[in-house]
Amino acid sequence: MDGDAAFSVATLERRLEKDRTRVVHSASLRRLQLLPQQGAVLAHASQRRLLSASLERQQMGRRIVQMVYRKLGKRAGDCGLDGLEDAFICLVEVGSLLRDIGRPPFGQAGELALCGWFDSHMSALGGRQLPLAKDDIQGAALLNELCRFDAQAQALRTISKQEGISLTHVQGAVLLGEQAVWREVGDDGRGRQGYCYRAESDQETAMRGVLGLGQDHRHPASYVVDAAEVIARTLSRLEAVVERGLIDPTSLVASLKQAYVEGLARQGEPWASLEERRFSRHGVVRRWSLGGMLDWALRRYERDNVEELGRFFHYLRLALGRTLVNHAADAFVAHLENIREGQPQLRLLSAEVGCRALLEAFDSLATRVEYRDPELERLELEGYRTLCGLLDAALPALRLPEAAFVRLLDEGHGASPRLTLWVKRLPPGVLRVYRQAMAQPWEGASREVWEAYHRGRLVHDWICSMTESSALEEYSRLRVAGRSLA
């Protein structure tokens, strides 16, 4: 937060609180209450929504920051963090809420549909001006960005462009987190690095300039948000498979123990055991073993003698959630110098072998158990097919020359009923972002390539504005308008 030194602490807190208010009241955040965590159609009212995942991540992040300050104590002043606890907590909480707002419907299946479809139809973008000449390396790099998807980059675009919310630089920088770096070829032939899409590169440049962040460096709050994401996601995935009846608590505990021991062996510690006391919680002097924590949670659940699976996970969160929060805070303090330098590859929960093996065990077990349910695979395939059908409906618009495409947007009438319906159903915010982009001067690539890129971004934004239910409804409308299966 050094880059905001021009602000007083009180002014910074007021601006961050303003960011929080805008984000909480945004339509993009409300959309998360209609998206399931597992990326499948909402078949049951009890399924967890992405909004609940964001709230769980928010709370985990808050606890990590509080724990960091407890551990630092009077040393917080020496680290440049004195008096910034409330601001740091606000940064992490709002960053946690923003993390998922750019996700497309149907979760990972939706991301795969977007990336795969654009990869297959790249030559159709922009009408007669494409495909690109073989020597147009920069233009090809720009358009190839449409074949990749990053939820945090899309979140920054959604909140700043479509919602029109001008985040404080320090708050926006929290979204420049642990993600693939986009690489382009610049005018000098060298690669350009960035953590957001090319369309928002000016925002990223401004953030980094104000905050003093290097080109591939991260903001300290992003490390906490990443750790909170891992903890919340890991526990919620396990709880989901138990709630769906794919595994019972007793079998879950036994499988976790086995997966953990196997993970330690892969980490080069085959001699380690379940009973080794390598985990600790803040305020508890003695250390815990994983076997002890899991057995404690299971015994407490069985002693309560109630058929309520949520009770088991209440105890599991008490044991494992607090332990992982404590280890994340320990890692933050231990690696504070690297964090201040913005080291891009640092992960708080991977710094210690035991935590790394534990999280890998959780993820591998959850993945194995999730696909025991044939319904999940069917729903993912249905989601993939739905989004590909929607993208097929947009294909005629992507093939138009720029002048014809602009006329389509202005008149709202296409050459076919399907194209007319498609353009009329585009959200106003998505259209506004495209028009604003085309009114700005372009650089690097040719005008035709730059327009084709923003047209592709328009389609990305359109898909990412939907929920599962609205995507299915839209697919049905467009299919009927086309009088054939999409």
Side-chain angles (χ1 to χ4, degrees), residues 195-393:
Y195 285 88
C196 65
Y197 293 134
R198 181 64 179 83
E200 285 72 55
S201 61
D202 57 337
Q203 290 180 251
E204 181 178 354
T205 300
M207 286 179 200
R208 293 191 181 280
V210 170
L211 301 174
L213 289 175
Q215 191 58 47
D216 61 346
H217 292 171
R218 301 168 56 193
H219 189 274
S222 69
Y223 297 93
V224 178
V225 176
D226 286 344
E229 158 74 13
V230 170
I231 298 171
R233 183 188 69 239
T234 297
L235 293 173
S236 65
R237 286 183 72 193
L238 291 176
E239 187 168 6
V241 296
V242 172
E243 286 180 343
R244 285 156 57 192
L246 302 177
I247 191 171
D248 61 83
T250 302
S251 300
L252 176 69
V253 167
S255 299
L256 281 175
K257 290 179 179 180
Q258 180 181 353
Y260 174 70
V261 172
E262 293 172 352
L264 284 176
R266 286 193 299 272
Q267 299 288 342
E269 296 194 11
W271 58 87
S273 72
L274 281 167
E275 306 312 316
E276 181 181 356
R277 297 180 179 272
R278 64 193 309 162
F279 300 101
S280 61
R281 291 187 295 175
H282 184 74
V284 178
V285 176
R286 71 186 184 92
R287 297 174 73 85
W288 287 49
S289 66
L290 178 64
M293 287 191 291
L294 293 175
D295 290 340
W296 174 83
L298 188 59
R299 283 198 305 271
R300 291 292 300 267
Y301 168 67
E302 292 172 342
R303 190 184 68 183
D304 287 351
N305 196 29
V306 294
E307 294 183 3
E308 185 180 338
L309 297 174
R311 187 70 63 88
F312 168 69
F313 279 94
H314 167 72
Y315 293 126
L316 195 64
R317 279 187 168 87
L318 286 178
L320 292 176
R322 291 179 179 179
T323 297
L324 292 172
V325 164
N326 186 65
H327 277 266
D330 278 337
F332 191 95
V333 173
H335 296 273
L336 188 56
E337 201 56 42
N338 291 331
I339 289 172
R340 287 175 61 84
E341 293 174 358
Q343 189 179 106
Q345 302 304 323
L346 178 64
R347 301 179 184 178
L348 297 183
L349 291 173
S350 297
E352 198 275 325
V353 173
C355 269
R356 189 161 62 245
L358 174 60
L359 292 170
E360 287 179 359
F362 279 22
D363 276 339
S364 63
L365 177 62
T367 301
R368 269 199 324 269
V369 176
E370 280 172 352
Y371 284 93
R372 292 178 185 174
D373 185 1
E375 181 69 4
L376 178 62
E377 184 177 2
R378 185 190 68 79
L379 291 173
E380 286 185 341
L381 289 172
E382 181 179 359
Y384 186 92
R385 185 179 66 236
T386 298
L387 287 199
C388 287
L390 289 172
L391 291 165
D392 286 342

Side-chain angles (χ1 to χ4, degrees), residues 114-135:
L114 265 174
C115 298
W117 189 91
F118 269 93
D119 187 48
S120 300
H121 295 82
M122 185 56 62
S123 62
L125 299 182
R128 292 188 298 271
Q129 293 80 8
L130 300 175
L132 297 169
K134 291 183 179 180
D135 58 350

Side-chain angles (χ1 to χ4, degrees), residues 7 44 332:
F7 299 159
H44 306 288
F332 191 95

Side-chain angles (χ1 to χ4, degrees), residues 16-149:
L16 292 178
E17 192 60 38
K18 187 176 181 180
D19 286 344
R20 184 207 295 271
T21 301
R22 289 174 169 179
V23 169
V24 167
H25 291 291
S26 67
S28 299
L29 187 66
R30 292 196 299 272
R31 169 179 169 265
L32 298 184
Q33 66 185 324
L34 301 175
L35 290 174
Q37 287 186 29
Q38 298 301 314
V41 180
L42 287 173
H44 306 288
S46 63
Q47 285 185 342
R48 293 172 171 270
R49 270 58 167 187
L50 275 180
L51 182 59
S52 64
S54 298
L55 294 175
E56 290 168 9
R57 181 169 55 243
Q58 179 190 50
Q59 180 60 24
M60 290 294 182
R62 178 186 183 88
R63 292 291 298 142
I64 293 172
V65 176
Q66 290 174 335
M67 204 74 77
V68 165
Y69 272 88
R70 289 186 192 178
K71 292 176 182 295
L72 285 175
K74 295 181 179 179
R75 290 183 295 156
D78 300 332
C79 303
L81 294 174
D82 191 33
L84 293 173
E85 182 174 0
D86 290 342
F88 203 168
I89 287 175
C90 189
L91 271 177
V92 169
E93 288 188 328
V94 177
S96 297
L97 293 176
L98 288 171
R99 179 65 71 93
D100 286 330
I101 65 171
R103 294 194 182 277
F106 308 109
Q108 188 175 15
E111 294 180 18
L112 292 173
L114 265 174
C115 298
W117 189 91
F118 269 93
D119 187 48
S120 300
H121 295 82
M122 185 56 62
S123 62
L125 299 182
R128 292 188 298 271
Q129 293 80 8
L130 300 175
L132 297 169
K134 291 183 179 180
D135 58 350
D136 190 356
I137 300 175
Q138 190 173 27
L142 180 62
L143 290 181
N144 282 337
E145 188 188 278
L146 297 172
C147 304
R148 293 173 287 184
F149 183 86

